[in-house]
Amino acid sequence: MIESAAPHPLDGIFLDFEKRSGWVLSQEAKNILKEGLEAVHVDTLGLGTFAVAADRSPIVLQVMGALPTFLFDLAKKADSRTKIETSQRTIGGVFVLQNMGLWQSLSGCTCWPI
């Protein structure tokens, strides 16, 4: 991850989600989501026609735009899990990874992540 003093572009989305949903994203979950977005900026393998795109901002914006819906869908899924899993109201990295295909389908981009 690229370190910077500026807030990460996803931090506002995370904060809004946590305030509105009553769920907290673990640091691991946030890192996975941030690194996934960073990969869209820099990776080539797996990005199909976007691998050689001079400007990736359209796909980055598309992926970012789908994130709030993805997070609230995760919260709905988490609400249906057993009490022992949800007592701390924290969505962790494993749960994000298990549901990553949902973010891809919401973003509408077949290049993003499976």
Side-chain angles (χ1 to χ4, degrees):
M1 184 183 309
I2 299 172
E3 297 297 324
S4 170
H8 192 279
L10 298 185
D11 287 342
I13 294 172
F14 296 155
L15 185 60
D16 181 64
F17 165 74
E18 290 177 341
K19 284 182 180 177
R20 292 177 45 207
S21 71
W23 284 92
V24 173
L25 292 166
S26 72
Q27 189 59 53
E28 294 78 13
K30 290 176 183 179
N31 290 345
I32 290 165
L33 296 167
K34 287 177 179 181
E35 289 295 327
L37 186 65
E38 181 65 23
V40 173
H41 282 280
V42 299
D43 286 359
T44 54
L45 184 60
L47 285 178
T49 57
F50 287 101
V52 293
D55 180 14
R56 291 191 185 179
S57 46
I59 187 59
V60 170
L61 293 174
Q62 195 172 321
V63 168
M64 281 182 67
L67 183 58
T69 302
F70 172 65
L71 293 175
F72 283 101
D73 285 352
L74 279 184
K76 287 178 195 167
K77 285 182 162 208
D79 281 332
S80 70
R81 302 295 286 233
T82 62
K83 188 76 167 168
I84 196 163
E85 287 185 286
T86 61
S87 62
Q88 296 199 10
R89 307 270 313 154
T90 300
I91 293 175
V94 170
F95 198 63
V96 167
L97 289 171
Q98 288 172 340
N99 291 281
M100 193 61 88
L102 177 59
W103 195 6
Q104 180 271 330
S105 66
L106 290 169
S107 74
C109 177
T110 57
C111 69
W112 171 244
I114 301 293

